[in-house]
Structure formats: C-alpha cells, structure tokens
Amino acid sequence: MTSELLDQALVEEATKKSGLIWVRGADAPAARALWHVWHEGAVCLVGDGPGEQPLTGLADGGAAEVTVRSKDKGGRLVTWPASVSEAAPGSPEWEAAVAELKGKRLNAPDGEEMLARWARECRVLRLVPAGSPLTLPDGTLAERPVPSPATTRRPVPAALPRLLAGRRKKK
C-alpha cells in the first residue's frame, strides 16, 4: 500500500510542476508535447480546434502513456499509463476543467470568447492515472520531430554574422 501511495504522489507532484508533458495515445506513432493542468487527480487538456494543440491518437475511452520531465534538470522523471475520457461541453467536469485551463492558456487570440470557442470547436480531455508508473527505458527514445511548418529551417542571412559582431564591438 505504501508503494502505491508513493507512486501516486510522484505522478501527481511531477505532473503538477511540469509545464509540458509528452503524451502518446494508443494510435499515435510518437509522443507529442502538450501543455496541461493537473486538476482533481487527472491531467486536463484542451485541443483539436483552430489555434489549439493537436490531440492526435487520444480518444474517449482509450489509453495513453504520459511522460513527465523533471522541472529542475529537464530529464525524464516518470512515465505513467492513463485512461482517456472526454468531457462533454457544459458538463460539470468540462466546466471545472476549462476553469483551470483558462488560467494557463497563453496568448489566446480571442480572450473572453475562448470558452465559447472551446465548447464549439475543441475537445477537453482528462487523462487519469491507470496503474503504477512504468519502468524508464535505458535508451534515449529520440525520434524525428513531427512534420510542422514551424520547424522549417531557412539559410542564415548573409549579413547576420556581421550584425552580431558589430553589436559586441559597441558594448
């Protein structure tokens, strides 16, 4: 019993303190970094709408694997299995989750209209711990990034090295 309580405390504290978690759904080929809040014993996520994070591979009633990093060192701290449930817009679970998520959402394009947009166009998911933490693997688990226009590399402008060198000389 003590081991179960320690595992539960580790999962809760590590997840609360981490700004990002890596989640891999049952159907997803790779884990994806997602912002979240810890609320009432579960991770709450919002996404799959315009301008929100994609929740690829996470389905209501499905399973997921959540990896949490250490806040101070940045390394993998704990990986735990989760059961996924989707809160229906307007339900008490949805209202409680979005009240917490609203405070953590940075740079929302629509401010006060955000909750109405989430109800209309997004999904709110709860990932509840489902079992004891998994053993951490020995390898790095490094994978190629998911294709995105945000990761497109372009050549460095020719004048950039001169501009940076000029700034150092002026100081």
Side-chain angles (χ1 to χ4, degrees), residues 113-165:
E113 296 298 316
M114 178 172 54
L115 298 183
R117 180 174 54 84
W118 284 355
R120 196 175 52 250
E121 301 171 355
C122 297
R123 295 189 308 147
V124 174
L125 301 179
R126 287 177 43 88
L127 276 57
V128 180
S132 56
L134 307 172
T135 358
L136 293 178
D138 291 334
T140 66
L141 298 182
E143 295 182 24
R144 293 185 75 54
V146 177
S148 165
T151 60
T152 302
R153 304 234 346 145
R154 297 202 173 132
V156 175
L160 186 61
R162 287 191 307 268
L163 288 172
L164 294 176

Side-chain angles (χ1 to χ4, degrees), residues 35-40 42-46 87 91-104 115 118 124-126:
W35 68 273
H36 70 287
V37 295
W38 181 269
H39 180 66
E40 295 180 356
V43 164
C44 295
L45 304 167
V46 64
S91 69
E93 297 88 18
W94 188 89
E95 295 290 340
V98 297
E100 295 294 319
L101 288 162
K102 180 182 176 184
K104 295 285 186 172
L115 298 183
W118 284 355
V124 174
L125 301 179
R126 287 177 43 88

Side-chain angles (χ1 to χ4, degrees), residues 4 15 32 34 41 45 47 54 59 61 70 90 105 122 133 161 163 165 170:
E4 291 174 14
T15 309
R32 181 179 290 274
L34 301 172
L45 304 167
S70 166
R105 175 63 166 96
C122 297
L163 288 172
K170 291 180 183 177

Side-chain angles (χ1 to χ4, degrees), residues 44-74:
C44 295
L45 304 167
V46 64
D48 278 353
E52 299 296 341
Q53 61 192 353
L55 302 176
T56 309
L58 299 175
D60 190 21
E65 191 176 277
V66 179
T67 301
V68 183
R69 68 184 179 100
S70 166
K71 186 164 178 114
D72 59 345
K73 301 291 184 187

